[in-house]
Amino acid sequence: MHNVHPSAVIEDGAVIDPTAKVGPFCVVGPDVVLGPDVELKSHVVVTGKTTVGEGTVIFSFAVIGEIPQDLKFKGESSALQIGARNRIREHVTMNAGTEGGGGVTKIGDDGLFMAGCHIAHDAIVGNRVIVVNSAAIAGHCVLEDDVIVGGLAGIHQFVRIGKGAIIGAVTMVTNDVIPYGLVQAPRGELDGLNLVGLKRRGVVRSDITALRAAFQMLAQGEGTFHDRAARLGAETDSSFVKEIVDFVMGDSDRSFLTPR
């Protein structure tokens, strides 16, 4: 294995693709699978039943696949699945799942996990997600595609963050966030739409206009939040607005952040 530094510890049973690279002083556990073109910089620990997808790069001092930080964990079999082309920076921690949460933590493709951030047990993280420095994603959270979580933010356990939403820095989020929402302030207030993100992804003006109108209806319409969302679903032709409606109507263990 010419791509494995001689100082690295590769435990018996580990499966390492011939194109993967393992740098100095890394530790790779016996149940780990490293896919094609995976790279571990120096001093990386990958342990547990962990699969790392093609082209993912893990930087120094990250600890990937360790047991959950959950007192209910009793050593049951659980896993961490990491997709392709992720960038996992220094000191990031990602934990395996628990029996109570389905037994697996999942990370999608093309994510950026900046230095010092944490992904807890049983979290489900979508594609193209960015988690900025020192942010913490608690157990059982769901982050859909294209979410951005600002630095030093905290996402409470069981919270869902909808597709394309953005969470500001130093924000504590304790309730679900609708797709394309903009959340900021210390206690997490839904303060509008992620218009910059929508424009960057080339969303057409008509859909952005529909999303603006939908947000206003959710903020100021009659009835409960769910009632307003149900009316939106009956009235809109926008696929983007329907994503919000489907998200609100889906199962959740947390209530929603409502517009200010």
Side-chain angles (χ1 to χ4, degrees):
M1 299 178 70
H2 65 280
N3 289 330
V4 177
H5 194 276
S7 66
V9 176
I10 310 298
E11 298 190 44
D12 291 342
V15 177
I16 300 177
D17 188 271
T19 62
K21 298 178 182 179
V22 180
F25 305 105
C26 292
V27 177
V28 179
D31 297 316
V32 170
V33 178
L34 302 183
D37 298 315
V38 167
E39 181 177 2
L40 309 185
K41 303 287 190 179
S42 69
H43 300 85
V44 174
V45 175
V46 185
T47 188
K49 191 175 180 180
T50 298
T51 302
V52 182
E54 179 177 2
T56 288
V57 179
I58 306 177
F59 287 73
S60 300
F61 303 105
V63 179
I64 307 299
E66 263 294 1
I67 64 171
Q69 298 177 74
D70 185 343
L71 292 175
K72 298 187 297 298
F73 182 72
K74 302 300 180 185
E76 63 267 20
S77 178
S78 62
L80 169 64
Q81 299 173 359
I82 299 173
R85 299 174 301 279
N86 289 287
R87 295 295 177 267
I88 301 172
R89 296 304 304 251
E90 296 83 357
H91 297 279
V92 168
T93 53
M94 295 182 174
N95 292 162
T98 65
E99 184 177 29
V104 62
T105 305
K106 294 182 180 180
I107 310 295
D109 300 333
D110 300 301
L112 173 58
F113 301 87
M114 296 189 190
C117 72
H118 174 64
I119 310 296
H121 58 88
D122 307 296
I124 306 297
V125 178
N127 301 319
R128 300 174 300 279
V129 168
I130 299 174
V131 182
V132 182
N133 304 77
S134 301
I137 311 302
H140 311 279
C141 288
V142 176
L143 276 61
E144 295 188 347
D145 295 347
D146 301 304
V147 165
I148 299 175
V149 179
L152 294 167
I155 312 299
H156 192 281
Q157 62 183 353
F158 294 102
V159 160
R160 298 181 300 150
I161 308 294
K163 180 179 179 180
I166 185 168
I167 310 300
V170 199
T171 297
M172 182 65 200
V173 181
T174 57
N175 299 96
D176 290 351
V177 177
I178 60 172
Y180 313 109
L182 165 64
V183 173
Q184 55 188 349
R187 295 305 301 179
E189 297 176 357
L190 183 57
D191 202 25
L193 296 172
N194 182 14
L195 296 174
V196 172
L198 290 165
K199 292 173 181 176
R200 284 177 177 172
R201 285 193 288 275
V203 177
V204 299
R205 184 180 296 274
S206 60
D207 280 316
I208 292 177
T209 299
L211 283 167
R212 284 178 180 270
F215 187 85
Q216 288 302 314
M217 181 173 177
L218 287 173
Q220 300 174 359
E222 296 180 357
T224 67
F225 189 74
H226 278 76
D227 290 340
R228 287 174 250 166
R231 286 200 303 275
L232 272 177
E235 297 171 3
T236 187
D237 293 323
S238 168
S239 61
F240 288 87
V241 175
K242 287 180 179 177
E243 286 182 48
I244 294 178
V245 173
D246 290 344
F247 186 87
V248 172
M249 296 304 177
D251 292 335
S252 177
D253 290 313
R254 307 292 299 179
S255 58
F256 281 87
L257 286 177
T258 54
R260 291 201 293 176

